Amino acid sequence: MTTTTDSASHFSHPDRNLAMELVRATEAAAIRATPWIGRGDKNAADGAAVDAMRKFLGTVNFDGLIVIGEGEKDNAPMLFNGEHVGNGRGPACDIAVDPIDGTSLTAAGRPNALSVIAVSDRGTMLDASSVFYMSKIVTGPEGRGVVDLSQSIGDNIRELAKAKKKPVGEIRVAVLDRPRHEGLIEEIRAAGAGTRLLLDGDVAGGINAALYESRIDICVGIGGSPEGITTACAIKALDGFMQGKLAPKDEAERAGGIAAGLDMDRIYDADDLVKGDNTFFVATGVTDGGLVDGVRRKGPVIRTESIVLRSKSGTIRRVSADHLAAKWLEADQL
C-alpha cells in the first residue's frame, strides 16, 4: 500500500514521463503554425500555435505555473505569466513557454523556428520578465572555468580554443544579426574566429553551442531574457556552460527590475537562472533548422521532429512522429 508520504513524494517533482506528454503540446503548436509559414503574418502564426499549445497542455497530468510566458515584448497572443496549465493533478512545476521561438522566421518562411517548452520544479525558475533582454554566453562543458562574461570576447575565444585544443580560426561563434551587435561581430572576427549570424531564435543557437560535435562553439550577445531562462533548462540537461547578465533598455526598466528583486550587475549562471537538477526542455521544429527539421507534409501524414532533453538523467532524445493529416487540418490548408 502506498502511504500518504510516498504519494506526496511521487507528485512533488516532474517525472520522466512528463517530457513525452509535453512534446505533444509542442508538436501541436508547430503543426497549427504551419499554414502561416511564409505568409508574412507573425501574429497569426503565433496565435495558432498558442491556441494549440494551451489546449494540449490542459491535458497533461501536472500543475504548471507559467513563469516565463511569451508575447510581452510585441503584444502578440500569449500564454501569460502566472497562468496555470495542466489538469492540476500531478507535480507542481514552473513552466517556460514559447509556442514559436522565431515568429518572424515563420512569417518569412526562414529556417530555425521552433515551438518550445521548458519545465523545472516549482519555485526554481528566475522570473526575469520585468527586464526583456539579457546578455548571454553559452558553450559546451569545455567553457566551464574558462570563459566568462566579464572577459572580452577575444579572450573568451582564445581561452576556449585552448580548452578545446583547436585553432582560434576554427572557433565558430553564433550571434544574433542585430545592429546592437555590430561591434561584437567585429571583435569576434578581429580575434580570428568565424561568425554564424542568426536571423532570430537564439535558443537554438545556445543549444547548438552546448551540443557535442556541434559546428558552433560559442553563442553570445544580447537576446531575450525569457529565452535565456528557457535556454538554461536545456543547458543544464546538456552539462553545458551558460552565464547571463540582465540588459535593461533604459533607466525605467532597470528600476522595475530592481523593484522585482533582480540584480542588474550580477552575472547569473545556469544554476541561478534555473535552480536544481530536474529540468526538461522540449522543442519541435516549425521550419527546418540545424537543431531539428520543420513540419513536413508526407502524403496522408504530417511529420514532426522534436528534441527532448532532461537534466536529471542527462538524456537527449530525438522524436520523429507521423500524424494523420485528416486529424489535424483540412487538406487544402497545407
Side-chain angles (χ1 to χ4, degrees), residues 60-279:
V60 178
N61 189 43
F62 76 148
D63 175 16
L65 176 66
I66 296 179
V67 176
I68 303 296
E70 63 91 40
E72 290 90 343
K73 277 192 290 189
D74 53 10
N75 296 316
M78 68 167 87
L79 280 152
F80 58 86
N81 289 1
E83 181 175 352
H84 281 264
V85 294
N87 62 20
R89 294 196 294 268
C93 308
D94 284 351
I95 310 292
V97 296
D98 200 343
I100 305 180
D101 177 41
T103 53
S104 296
L105 299 176
T106 303
R110 291 176 174 146
N112 294 312
L114 301 170
S115 178
V116 174
I117 298 174
V119 175
S120 63
D121 295 334
R122 176 64 55 81
T124 57
M125 281 188 189
L126 179 70
D127 182 358
S129 58
S130 56
V131 179
F132 290 148
Y133 292 101
M134 177 186 291
S135 178
K136 311 163 203 172
I137 187 165
V138 185
T139 73
E142 301 91 349
R144 193 172 290 111
V146 172
V147 304
D148 195 284
L149 269 177
S150 63
Q151 297 178 165
S152 70
I153 185 61
D155 285 343
N156 280 325
I157 288 168
R158 287 184 285 271
E159 292 303 314
L160 185 64
K162 290 178 188 176
K164 298 187 80 169
K165 296 180 172 59
K166 62 194 299 186
V168 167
E170 293 182 10
I171 295 291
R172 297 294 175 264
V173 184
V175 58
L176 284 170
D177 189 6
R178 298 288 188 272
R180 63 178 177 266
H181 289 150
E182 288 178 359
L184 175 62
I185 292 167
E186 289 178 4
E187 289 183 53
I188 292 167
R189 292 170 176 169
T195 54
R196 293 294 181 267
L197 300 183
L198 308 175
L199 291 172
D200 210 339
D202 62 340
V203 172
I207 293 171
N208 276 319
L211 278 171
Y212 178 65
E213 291 188 331
S214 169
R215 294 181 181 180
I216 294 175
D217 298 284
I218 317 176
C219 184
V220 296
I222 296 174
S225 56
E227 289 84 351
I229 307 301
T230 303
T231 302
C233 287
I235 296 310
K236 290 168 75 72
L238 295 169
D239 192 33
F241 173 81
M242 178 178 180
Q243 289 180 333
K245 184 178 181 182
L246 295 165
K249 63 180 183 292
D250 53 35
E251 285 303 315
E253 190 175 65
R254 180 182 179 87
I258 292 171
L262 300 172
D263 187 340
M264 299 300 110
D265 299 317
R266 179 177 179 179
I267 294 177
Y268 292 88
D269 62 23
D271 288 328
D272 298 320
L273 299 173
V274 184
K275 299 182 187 304
D277 186 32
N278 195 33
T279 66

